[in-house]
Amino acid sequence: MADYDYDLFTIGAGSGGVRASRVAAAHGAKVAVAEEYRVGGTCVIRGCVPKKMLVYGAHFAEDVQDARNFGWTMETCRFDWKVLRDNVLKDVDRLNGLYTQTLENHGVEIIPQRATVSGPNEVTLGDGRKVTARHILIAVGARPLIPECKGHELGITSNEVFHLDELPRRILIAGGGYIANEFAGIFNEFGTHVTIINRSDTLLRGYDQSLRDRLLQISVMKGIDFRFNASFRGIEKTEDGCLRVSMTNHDDLEVDCVLFATGRIPNTEGLGLEAAGVTLGERGAIAVDDYGTTNVPSIHAVGDVTDRVQLTPVAIREGQAFADTLFGDKPTKVSHDCIPSAVFSHPPIAAVGLTESEARNKFGTIKIYQSDFRPMKNVLAGRNERSLYKMVCNAADGRILGIHMIGPDSPEIMQAAAVAVKVGLTKDDFDATVAIHPTMAEELVLLK
Ligand code: NDP
């Protein structure tokens, strides 16, 4: 057998790369991981984790308002963006340290440099050094896609949004997906005027229509503006430092900040993959088999760079399965079926399984059970926001095909419900379970 510097060389220390590297090392492999930015990747450094902290921070705006009907008076109430921003960034530093420590504790060598593939078993580091590895894992994730338009460089992406010097008075968010809706909620709660601009008239494509409609209705009620079927023509800076945005089908708009949230594409540009013979698919995604292996047997990929399901827990599963398969003598495939997901909008959405229309297309006859209710806390608070829970079942045997929820804490509630859907429980199984009263979650076992 050829002699290599490493058993595994991972490029990218995000969720998938860190999990794969440390598990491979725990199985006895000699592992190095190269990271050009910060250990932790998108999720920890500029994604899920800091975003969720901002969601918490933003939600206090409603809590403070709602508290009045619960007897609380707050004389002076002021939000300081810089305090929240700095505390969030401090926590990101802490997590970055923990992820680094985890790798070090497992004996993984961290190489803080960009690395590119220069052969089936060779990697070239930023400093010009070449190293060899029996296996190379590409876990470089994805990067924000910015639509081509004049002045696009005047906008920011989710990479920069956590570092804003000031809270903008008016923000335009381009896109209608996860990031757009999450940051629309965040900025709106902070008092920024938010306009979402989307190229189609569809928000959150892939989620159940009833939930999308409910989110749109509540978002409009909260004061978020929407412009649909609009494509960017250009952005220009005005004399007073504002940004004037022109678009198709709508009037120009003047704002202080433009945030592009128009999808993320695999980060494969300039990685040397084509030269090494690796097949890339649409949008530069790395094509892999069920075990994360490319058409070059020694080169593998996990996570967003494969452009299958761009979610952190999926990348982690793929990293674990890859390491168990190759170094743990335990071939493992990752099931991409029935993956629960959430949008941390205000209020949040959570879903698992098939939407109503997907189920109808696949099974023909289905049964829908629904609860459209105003949570008790909202009633007393005088907050006119209704939650919606929906269960999609196969009419033939009552099996649950999907659950969809919008309302406070729905992602927290969904995690347990997703287990039931994954193992194939029926509506009768839910009905046979006694409710926990009074909760919002009890609606799941009382659906009509
Ligand atoms: P999404 O894929 O969710 O949404 C992209 C949006 O941008 C869509 O509304 C899409 O319109 C629009 N769009 C796509 N391409 C263009 C273009 N060229 N010009 C103009 N508009 C365009 O992407 P996000 O950026 O919001 O998030 C990226 C990924 O990150 C998500 O897919 C998700 O997997 C992950 N993520 C997950 C989160 C979570 O789990 N809570 C949170 C944040 C991100 P249309 O639908 O009409 O095509």
Side-chain angles (χ1 to χ4, degrees):
M1 194 182 288
D3 211 11
Y4 298 110
D5 298 326
Y6 300 99
D7 297 313
L8 173 66
F9 194 100
T10 302
I11 306 182
S15 300
V18 167
R19 175 59 67 95
S21 300
R22 81 160 165 80
V23 173
H27 285 315
K30 184 180 180 201
V31 185
V33 55
E35 169 56 55
E36 63 179 331
Y37 185 49
R38 298 183 75 186
V39 172
T42 302
C43 172
V44 174
I45 306 295
R46 48 197 181 189
C48 328
V49 172
K51 180 275 311 289
K52 185 73 186 281
M53 291 179 200
L54 293 188
V55 170
Y56 281 131
H59 202 74
F60 280 105
E62 289 187 5
D63 291 339
V64 165
Q65 253 179 29
D66 292 352
R68 294 195 187 114
N69 279 2
F70 289 84
W72 293 91
T73 310
M74 267 152 272
E75 302 297 349
T76 49
C77 189
R78 208 177 64 81
F79 172 66
D80 189 332
W81 159 251
K82 287 179 184 159
V83 171
L84 178 59
R85 179 199 62 192
D86 294 348
N87 285 339
V88 168
L89 293 179
K90 228 184 286 167
D91 212 56
V92 167
D93 289 343
R94 182 183 66 86
L95 290 168
N96 168 237
L98 285 179
Y99 271 69
T100 305
Q101 225 174 56
T102 301
L103 287 173
E104 286 169 354
N105 290 347
H106 282 82
V108 175
E109 184 186 344
I110 302 172
I111 302 176
Q113 290 184 45
R114 181 170 169 79
T116 54
V117 177
S118 40
N121 299 94
E122 189 187 79
V123 165
T124 301
L125 302 178
D127 63 11
R129 220 164 12 118
K130 289 188 188 302
V131 296
T132 58
R134 181 143 34 114
H135 295 280
I136 298 170
L137 176 67
I138 314 295
V140 294
R143 65 173 191 280
L145 167 84
I146 301 178
E148 270 308 313
C149 76
K150 209 169 115 243
H152 64 78
E153 67 285 353
L154 295 168
I156 60 166
T157 68
S158 55
N159 289 348
E160 293 80 37
V161 73
F162 298 103
H163 300 270
L164 289 177
D165 287 336
E166 304 287 342
L167 205 56
R169 199 164 57 79
R170 303 156 301 177
I171 190 167
L172 183 161
I173 304 181
Y178 283 85
I179 298 177
N181 283 285
E182 292 181 342
F183 275 96
I186 290 168
F187 280 111
N188 180 60
E189 299 287 320
F190 289 155
T192 296
H193 182 264
V194 178
T195 307
I196 284 192
I197 295 201
N198 197 25
R199 66 172 175 184
S200 66
D201 59 0
T202 302
L203 290 180
L204 290 169
R205 197 180 290 284
Y207 279 90
D208 192 90
Q209 181 76 47
S210 331
L211 268 65
R212 300 195 253 146
D213 291 347
R214 180 61 54 92
L215 179 64
L216 177 61
Q217 179 211 345
I218 295 177
S219 300
V220 168
M221 221 161 64
K222 286 182 192 293
I224 298 172
D225 280 338
F226 288 83
R227 291 185 179 190
F228 291 117
N229 301 311
S231 297
F232 275 63
R233 279 207 185 100
I235 309 174
E236 59 182 17
K237 209 165 200 153
T238 61
E239 271 171 21
D240 52 2
C242 301
L243 301 176
R244 183 177 301 119
V245 184
S246 61
M247 63 201 89
T248 56
N249 296 326
H250 297 270
D251 293 339
D252 290 2
L253 189 67
E254 210 170 272
V255 291
D256 308 294
C257 180
V258 172
L259 169 64
F260 287 108
T262 39
R264 296 173 59 84
I265 53 165
N267 231 342
T268 45
E269 232 175 60
L271 261 193
L273 290 165
E274 293 97 323
V278 175
T279 304
L280 299 185
E282 257 180 64
R283 305 184 347 128
I286 300 181
V288 289
D289 66 12
D290 287 346
Y291 298 99
T293 298
T294 69
N295 60 309
V296 177
S298 57
I299 302 182
H300 317 266
V302 295
D304 288 2
V305 77
T306 64
D307 210 14
R308 291 172 291 180
V309 183
Q310 289 188 352
L311 295 174
T312 298
V314 176
I316 292 173
R317 286 277 163 125
E318 290 171 2
Q320 176 85 40
F322 160 79
D324 285 342
T325 300
L326 242 80
F327 301 101
D329 204 18
K330 191 175 148 207
T332 310
K333 292 182 189 177
V334 174
S335 158
H336 289 106
D337 263 359
C338 220
I339 293 170
S341 64
V343 185
F344 294 97
S345 43
H346 278 79
I349 284 178
V352 66
L354 302 181
T355 64
E356 181 176 344
S357 61
E358 285 168 348
R360 222 177 272 290
N361 286 339
K362 192 163 175 194
F363 291 90
T365 43
I366 55 166
K367 281 191 101 168
I368 302 295
Y369 303 91
Q370 220 165 273
S371 176
D372 187 337
F373 63 101
R374 198 165 161 210
M376 183 192 266
K377 189 166 166 234
N378 283 358
V379 175
L380 201 66
R383 178 169 292 282
N384 190 22
E385 268 176 44
R386 298 182 70 82
S387 296
L388 181 66
Y389 292 5
K390 183 171 179 178
M391 185 182 273
V392 182
C393 296
N394 188 344
D397 57 6
R399 217 185 98 209
I400 303 168
L401 303 172
I403 297 182
H404 309 275
M405 305 197 282
I406 178 167
D409 297 333
S410 53
E412 303 288 345
I413 299 166
M414 180 56 86
Q415 185 69 75
V419 178
V421 181
K422 179 83 180 163
V423 299
L425 294 192
T426 63
K427 168 77 163 69
D428 285 348
D429 294 321
F430 270 59
D431 291 349
T433 307
V434 173
I436 303 174
H437 185 69
T439 62
M440 292 178 285
E442 69 178 312
E443 295 298 326
L444 280 178
V445 296
L446 302 171
L447 291 169
K448 295 272 181 297

